[in-house]
Amino acid sequence: GAGVSQTPSNKVTEKGKYVELRCDPISGHTALYWYRQSLGQGPEFLIYFQGTGAADDSGLPNDRFFAVRPEGSVSTLKIQRTERGDSAVYLCASSLGFPGETQYFGPGTRLLVL
Amino acid sequence: SQQGEEDPQALSIQEGENATMNCSYKTSINNLQWYRQNSGRGLVHLILIRSNEREKHSGRLRVTLDTSKKSSSLLITASRAADTASYFCAPVITQGGSEKLVFGKGTKLTVNP
C-alpha cells in the first residue's frame, strides 16, 4: 500500500511568513509523529498524535509551532512568523499504535526560510 | 536532548567488507531501533531489538544490545555500494508518560565499489 506522503517536498518562504506542512500517514495508523532534522543532525522529536489528540507535544520549540490532526488521519504542522533558524527538513512518521513500535517515515519537507 | 550517540561519525569501507556502527545511550530503554537514511530525506526502519534481547539478525544485518553497558551495535556484512547511507540508532525511552524515539547524529557510511 501507499507509504507516508508529505507535501510540499520543498518550501521556500521569507522570514516572518506563515507556512503549513502536510502529512498523509499510512491508512489505519493511529499514531503520527513530526520530527525536525537540521543538517548533520538526527531527527528531533516535535509532537506525537494518538488519533486526533496530541499525546505529547513536548518537542515543539515554542508557541510559533502548532500541529493539528482533526480527523485522525492527515496532519498539518503550522509555523507562524517563520525565522531563519526554522530552516530544516520536517519529517512525518506514522505507526500502527504506539511510539515504541516501528515508525514509517515520509520523504520530508525541506523548508528554507530566507 | 539526544540520547543515541553513534560512533564513528563517518565510516568508509570497500565493497565486500563488513561495517560496524556503535551506539551508546544514557537512560533505561524500552527497545532500540536502527534506521537508515539516504540523501537526508525519509528514514527507513531496519531493525527493532527489545530490551530483553541481546542479538537480532535480519538478512545481512546483525544488531546487538548490551543494556548493562547501555550500548548497541549494528553490523552490516558483505557490504555493497547500495548500503551507502546514514545510519541512526534510536533508543525508545519513556519521558513524560509517553514513549519516544530519541535519535543521535548518525553514522555516515560510504561503501566504495
Side-chain angles (χ1 to χ4, degrees):
Chain A
V4 178
S5 62
Q6 293 186 244
T7 55
S9 298
N10 296 281
K11 176 73 177 177
V12 181
T13 191
E14 293 178 344
K15 180 174 178 295
K17 299 285 189 184
Y18 167 83
V19 296
E20 288 190 353
L21 311 179
R22 176 189 166 109
C23 172
D24 211 327
I26 293 173
S27 178
H29 280 193
T30 61
L32 183 146
Y33 317 86
W34 284 99
Y35 294 86
R36 177 170 70 173
Q37 187 176 23
S38 301
L39 197 62
Q41 303 292 316
E44 177 189 10
F45 170 81
L46 295 178
I47 186 169
Y48 150 51
F49 286 90
Q50 187 62 250
T52 60
D56 183 354
D57 64 358
S58 61
L60 294 177
N62 52 59
D63 60 7
R64 296 187 296 106
F65 289 74
F66 189 71
V68 295
R69 195 186 185 199
E71 297 178 358
S73 179
V74 170
S75 176
T76 305
L77 178 66
K78 308 180 182 196
I79 310 174
Q80 297 178 323
R81 304 183 305 279
T82 51
E83 299 177 356
R84 293 194 180 89
D86 298 334
S87 296
V89 176
Y90 288 81
L91 296 164
C92 175
S94 69
S95 69
L96 265 175
F98 299 98
E101 300 169 355
T102 297
Q103 295 188 14
Y104 297 86
F105 282 79
T109 293
R110 190 179 300 276
L111 175 66
L112 177 60
V113 182
L114 300 175
Chain B
S1 63
Q2 293 190 318
Q3 282 270 346
E5 297 271 346
E6 292 89 347
D7 171 61
Q9 291 185 8
L11 181 61
S12 182
I13 60 173
Q14 295 300 123
E15 233 176 0
E17 294 180 339
N18 296 341
T20 299
M21 288 160 270
N22 301 298
C23 168
S24 59
Y25 56 91
K26 297 175 183 173
T27 63
S28 297
I29 61 170
N30 303 327
N31 64 54
L32 185 143
Q33 302 182 28
W34 284 87
Y35 287 82
R36 165 197 166 123
Q37 185 177 42
N38 288 78
S39 306
R41 299 306 285 257
L43 280 78
V44 174
H45 179 262
L46 295 176
I47 202 162
L48 181 157
I49 186 164
R50 302 200 181 278
S51 59
N52 61 353
E53 296 178 306
R54 292 296 168 259
E55 187 170 309
K56 203 158 183 182
H57 297 253
S58 177
R60 293 184 296 112
L61 306 181
R62 173 178 166 251
V63 167
T64 63
L65 178 64
D66 186 335
T67 52
S68 67
K69 294 181 179 177
K70 293 187 170 58
S71 67
S72 174
S73 68
L74 170 67
L75 169 67
I76 304 174
T77 60
S79 63
R80 306 166 182 168
D83 294 329
T84 295
S86 290
Y87 292 82
F88 294 89
C89 77
V92 178
I93 65 170
T94 299
Q95 194 173 69
S98 172
E99 283 187 317
K100 56 169 60 85
L101 270 63
V102 191
F103 290 86
K105 293 184 179 181
T107 292
K108 188 170 183 178
L109 173 66
T110 302
V111 182
N112 301 298

Short mmCIF file of all heavy atoms in Angstrom, two decimals, chain A residues 40-76:
data_model
loop_
_atom_site.label_atom_id
_atom_site.label_comp_id
_atom_site.label_asym_id
_atom_site.label_seq_id
_atom_site.Cartn_x
_atom_site.Cartn_y
_atom_site.Cartn_z
N GLY A 40 23.22 17.59 9.31
CA GLY A 40 24.23 16.92 10.13
C GLY A 40 23.74 16.39 11.46
O GLY A 40 24.53 15.89 12.26
N GLN A 41 22.44 16.53 11.69
CA GLN A 41 21.87 16.07 12.96
C GLN A 41 20.88 14.94 12.70
O GLN A 41 20.44 14.71 11.58
CB GLN A 41 21.13 17.22 13.66
CG GLN A 41 21.99 18.44 13.92
CD GLN A 41 23.05 18.18 14.94
OE1 GLN A 41 22.81 17.58 15.98
NE2 GLN A 41 24.27 18.64 14.66
N GLY A 42 20.51 14.25 13.77
CA GLY A 42 19.45 13.27 13.67
C GLY A 42 18.10 13.94 13.82
O GLY A 42 18.01 15.10 14.22
N PRO A 43 17.03 13.23 13.49
CA PRO A 43 15.69 13.80 13.67
C PRO A 43 15.42 14.14 15.13
O PRO A 43 15.78 13.38 16.04
CB PRO A 43 14.77 12.67 13.20
CG PRO A 43 15.61 11.84 12.30
CD PRO A 43 16.98 11.90 12.87
N GLU A 44 14.78 15.27 15.33
CA GLU A 44 14.44 15.75 16.67
C GLU A 44 12.92 15.72 16.82
O GLU A 44 12.20 16.31 16.01
CB GLU A 44 14.97 17.18 16.82
CG GLU A 44 14.64 17.87 18.12
CD GLU A 44 15.02 19.34 18.07
OE1 GLU A 44 15.36 19.84 16.99
OE2 GLU A 44 14.94 19.99 19.13
N PHE A 45 12.44 15.05 17.83
CA PHE A 45 11.01 14.88 18.06
C PHE A 45 10.33 16.23 18.29
O PHE A 45 10.83 17.08 19.04
CB PHE A 45 10.80 13.99 19.28
CG PHE A 45 9.39 13.93 19.78
CD1 PHE A 45 8.45 13.11 19.17
CD2 PHE A 45 8.98 14.70 20.85
CE1 PHE A 45 7.14 13.06 19.62
CE2 PHE A 45 7.68 14.66 21.33
CZ PHE A 45 6.76 13.83 20.71
N LEU A 46 9.17 16.42 17.65
CA LEU A 46 8.38 17.62 17.87
C LEU A 46 7.07 17.29 18.59
O LEU A 46 6.78 17.85 19.65
CB LEU A 46 8.06 18.30 16.54
CG LEU A 46 9.25 18.86 15.75
CD1 LEU A 46 8.76 19.45 14.43
CD2 LEU A 46 10.00 19.90 16.56
N ILE A 47 6.26 16.40 17.99
CA ILE A 47 4.93 16.15 18.53
C ILE A 47 4.45 14.78 18.09
O ILE A 47 4.85 14.29 17.03
CB ILE A 47 3.95 17.26 18.08
CG1 ILE A 47 2.57 17.12 18.75
CG2 ILE A 47 3.81 17.28 16.56
CD1 ILE A 47 1.67 18.34 18.53
N TYR A 48 3.59 14.18 18.91
CA TYR A 48 3.04 12.86 18.65
C TYR A 48 1.53 12.91 18.86
O TYR A 48 1.05 13.40 19.87
CB TYR A 48 3.72 11.86 19.60
CG TYR A 48 2.93 10.65 20.06
CD1 TYR A 48 2.27 9.82 19.16
CD2 TYR A 48 2.88 10.30 21.41
CE1 TYR A 48 1.57 8.71 19.59
CE2 TYR A 48 2.19 9.19 21.85
CZ TYR A 48 1.54 8.39 20.94
OH TYR A 48 0.86 7.28 21.37
N PHE A 49 0.80 12.43 17.84
CA PHE A 49 -0.65 12.33 17.91
C PHE A 49 -1.06 10.87 18.07
O PHE A 49 -0.54 9.99 17.41
CB PHE A 49 -1.30 12.84 16.62
CG PHE A 49 -1.27 14.33 16.47
CD1 PHE A 49 -0.21 14.95 15.83
CD2 PHE A 49 -2.31 15.11 16.95
CE1 PHE A 49 -0.18 16.33 15.68
CE2 PHE A 49 -2.29 16.49 16.81
CZ PHE A 49 -1.22 17.10 16.16
N GLN A 50 -2.04 10.66 18.91
CA GLN A 50 -2.70 9.36 19.00
C GLN A 50 -4.15 9.66 18.62
O GLN A 50 -4.89 10.28 19.39
CB GLN A 50 -2.59 8.77 20.40
CG GLN A 50 -3.12 7.36 20.52
CD GLN A 50 -2.36 6.37 19.65
OE1 GLN A 50 -2.89 5.87 18.64
NE2 GLN A 50 -1.12 6.06 20.01
N GLY A 51 -4.53 9.24 17.43
CA GLY A 51 -5.84 9.64 16.93
C GLY A 51 -5.85 11.13 16.63
O GLY A 51 -4.96 11.65 15.97
N THR A 52 -6.85 11.81 17.13
CA THR A 52 -6.97 13.25 16.86
C THR A 52 -6.24 14.12 17.87
O THR A 52 -6.01 15.31 17.61
CB THR A 52 -8.46 13.67 16.88
OG1 THR A 52 -9.01 13.37 18.17
CG2 THR A 52 -9.26 12.92 15.81
N GLY A 53 -5.87 13.55 18.99
CA GLY A 53 -5.29 14.35 20.05
C GLY A 53 -3.77 14.29 20.11
O GLY A 53 -3.16 13.26 19.82
N ALA A 54 -3.18 15.41 20.52
CA ALA A 54 -1.73 15.45 20.70
C ALA A 54 -1.40 14.79 22.04
O ALA A 54 -1.69 15.35 23.10
CB ALA A 54 -1.24 16.89 20.67
N ALA A 55 -0.81 13.60 21.97
CA ALA A 55 -0.47 12.87 23.19
C ALA A 55 0.80 13.41 23.84
O ALA A 55 1.00 13.27 25.05
CB ALA A 55 -0.29 11.38 22.87
N ASP A 56 1.67 14.02 23.03
CA ASP A 56 2.93 14.53 23.55
C ASP A 56 3.39 15.64 22.62
O ASP A 56 3.73 15.36 21.47
CB ASP A 56 3.97 13.41 23.63
CG ASP A 56 5.30 13.86 24.23
OD1 ASP A 56 5.48 15.06 24.51
OD2 ASP A 56 6.17 12.99 24.43
N ASP A 57 3.37 16.87 23.10
CA ASP A 57 3.84 17.99 22.26
C ASP A 57 5.05 18.64 22.90
O ASP A 57 5.34 19.82 22.64
CB ASP A 57 2.72 19.01 22.03
CG ASP A 57 2.27 19.69 23.32
OD1 ASP A 57 2.80 19.33 24.40
OD2 ASP A 57 1.40 20.57 23.25
N SER A 58 5.77 17.87 23.70
CA SER A 58 6.89 18.43 24.47
C SER A 58 8.05 18.88 23.60
O SER A 58 8.92 19.62 24.07
CB SER A 58 7.38 17.40 25.49
OG SER A 58 7.85 16.23 24.83
N GLY A 59 8.10 18.43 22.35
CA GLY A 59 9.21 18.80 21.48
C GLY A 59 9.00 20.06 20.68
O GLY A 59 9.93 20.56 20.03
N LEU A 60 7.80 20.62 20.70
CA LEU A 60 7.57 21.86 19.96
C LEU A 60 8.43 22.96 20.57
O LEU A 60 8.36 23.21 21.78
CB LEU A 60 6.10 22.26 20.01
CG LEU A 60 5.14 21.32 19.29
CD1 LEU A 60 3.70 21.79 19.46
CD2 LEU A 60 5.48 21.20 17.80
N PRO A 61 9.25 23.63 19.77
CA PRO A 61 10.24 24.56 20.34
C PRO A 61 9.64 25.81 20.98
O PRO A 61 10.22 26.35 21.92
CB PRO A 61 11.14 24.92 19.15
CG PRO A 61 10.37 24.54 17.94
CD PRO A 61 9.42 23.48 18.32
N ASN A 62 8.54 26.29 20.47
CA ASN A 62 7.91 27.49 21.03
C ASN A 62 6.50 27.60 20.48
O ASN A 62 6.05 26.75 19.71
CB ASN A 62 8.74 28.74 20.68
CG ASN A 62 9.04 28.83 19.20
OD1 ASN A 62 8.12 28.88 18.38
ND2 ASN A 62 10.31 28.82 18.84
N ASP A 63 5.80 28.66 20.87
CA ASP A 63 4.38 28.75 20.51
C ASP A 63 4.16 29.20 19.06
O ASP A 63 3.02 29.38 18.63
CB ASP A 63 3.62 29.67 21.47
CG ASP A 63 4.16 31.09 21.48
OD1 ASP A 63 5.05 31.40 20.65
OD2 ASP A 63 3.71 31.88 22.33
N ARG A 64 5.23 29.35 18.29
CA ARG A 64 5.03 29.62 16.87
C ARG A 64 4.69 28.33 16.11
O ARG A 64 4.23 28.39 14.98
CB ARG A 64 6.29 30.25 16.26
CG ARG A 64 6.65 31.62 16.83
CD ARG A 64 7.81 32.24 16.05
NE ARG A 64 9.04 31.47 16.18
CZ ARG A 64 9.55 30.72 15.21
NH1 ARG A 64 8.93 30.62 14.03
NH2 ARG A 64 10.68 30.06 15.41
N PHE A 65 4.97 27.21 16.75
CA PHE A 65 4.74 25.90 16.13
C PHE A 65 3.45 25.30 16.68
O PHE A 65 3.23 25.26 17.89
CB PHE A 65 5.91 24.94 16.43
CG PHE A 65 7.18 25.27 15.71
CD1 PHE A 65 7.96 26.35 16.11
CD2 PHE A 65 7.59 24.51 14.64
CE1 PHE A 65 9.14 26.65 15.45
CE2 PHE A 65 8.77 24.79 13.96
CZ PHE A 65 9.54 25.87 14.37
N PHE A 66 2.65 24.80 15.76
CA PHE A 66 1.38 24.20 16.15
C PHE A 66 1.05 23.09 15.16
O PHE A 66 1.38 23.20 13.98
CB PHE A 66 0.28 25.26 16.14
CG PHE A 66 -1.01 24.79 16.73
CD1 PHE A 66 -1.12 24.57 18.10
CD2 PHE A 66 -2.13 24.58 15.94
CE1 PHE A 66 -2.31 24.13 18.66
CE2 PHE A 66 -3.33 24.14 16.49
CZ PHE A 66 -3.41 23.92 17.85
N ALA A 67 0.44 22.03 15.60
CA ALA A 67 0.06 20.95 14.69
C ALA A 67 -1.33 20.46 15.01
O ALA A 67 -1.76 20.51 16.17
CB ALA A 67 1.06 19.79 14.77
N VAL A 68 -2.03 20.02 13.98
CA VAL A 68 -3.39 19.52 14.15
C VAL A 68 -3.55 18.22 13.38
O VAL A 68 -2.84 17.95 12.41
CB VAL A 68 -4.44 20.55 13.67
CG1 VAL A 68 -4.41 21.79 14.54
CG2 VAL A 68 -4.24 20.89 12.21
N ARG A 69 -4.54 17.45 13.81
CA ARG A 69 -4.91 16.22 13.13
C ARG A 69 -6.42 16.02 13.37
O ARG A 69 -6.82 15.12 14.09
CB ARG A 69 -4.10 15.05 13.70
CG ARG A 69 -4.13 13.80 12.83
CD ARG A 69 -3.43 12.64 13.50
NE ARG A 69 -3.36 11.48 12.63
CZ ARG A 69 -3.15 10.25 13.05
NH1 ARG A 69 -2.99 10.02 14.35
NH2 ARG A 69 -3.10 9.24 12.19
N PRO A 70 -7.22 16.85 12.77
CA PRO A 70 -8.64 16.95 13.13
C PRO A 70 -9.47 15.69 12.94
O PRO A 70 -10.44 15.48 13.68
CB PRO A 70 -9.15 18.09 12.24
CG PRO A 70 -8.16 18.18 11.13
CD PRO A 70 -6.85 17.78 11.71
N GLU A 71 -9.13 14.87 11.97
CA GLU A 71 -9.94 13.68 11.73
C GLU A 71 -9.16 12.40 12.00
O GLU A 71 -9.60 11.32 11.63
CB GLU A 71 -10.48 13.70 10.29
CG GLU A 71 -11.41 14.89 10.05
CD GLU A 71 -11.91 14.96 8.62
OE1 GLU A 71 -11.52 14.11 7.80
OE2 GLU A 71 -12.69 15.87 8.33
N GLY A 72 -8.02 12.54 12.63
CA GLY A 72 -7.25 11.35 12.99
C GLY A 72 -6.50 10.72 11.85
O GLY A 72 -6.00 9.60 11.98
N SER A 73 -6.38 11.47 10.75
CA SER A 73 -5.62 10.94 9.61
C SER A 73 -4.56 11.96 9.21
O SER A 73 -3.49 12.01 9.82
CB SER A 73 -6.55 10.60 8.45
OG SER A 73 -5.82 10.11 7.35
N VAL A 74 -4.89 12.82 8.25
CA VAL A 74 -3.95 13.84 7.78
C VAL A 74 -3.61 14.80 8.92
O VAL A 74 -4.46 15.15 9.75
CB VAL A 74 -4.57 14.61 6.61
CG1 VAL A 74 -3.74 15.84 6.25
CG2 VAL A 74 -4.73 13.70 5.40
N SER A 75 -2.35 15.23 8.94
CA SER A 75 -1.92 16.20 9.94
C SER A 75 -1.26 17.38 9.23
O SER A 75 -0.67 17.24 8.16
CB SER A 75 -0.92 15.56 10.90
OG SER A 75 -0.41 16.52 11.81
N THR A 76 -1.38 18.54 9.85
CA THR A 76 -0.74 19.75 9.34
C THR A 76 0.11 20.36 10.44
O THR A 76 -0.37 20.56 11.56
CB THR A 76 -1.79 20.78 8.87
OG1 THR A 76 -2.67 20.17 7.92
CG2 THR A 76 -1.12 21.98 8.24
#
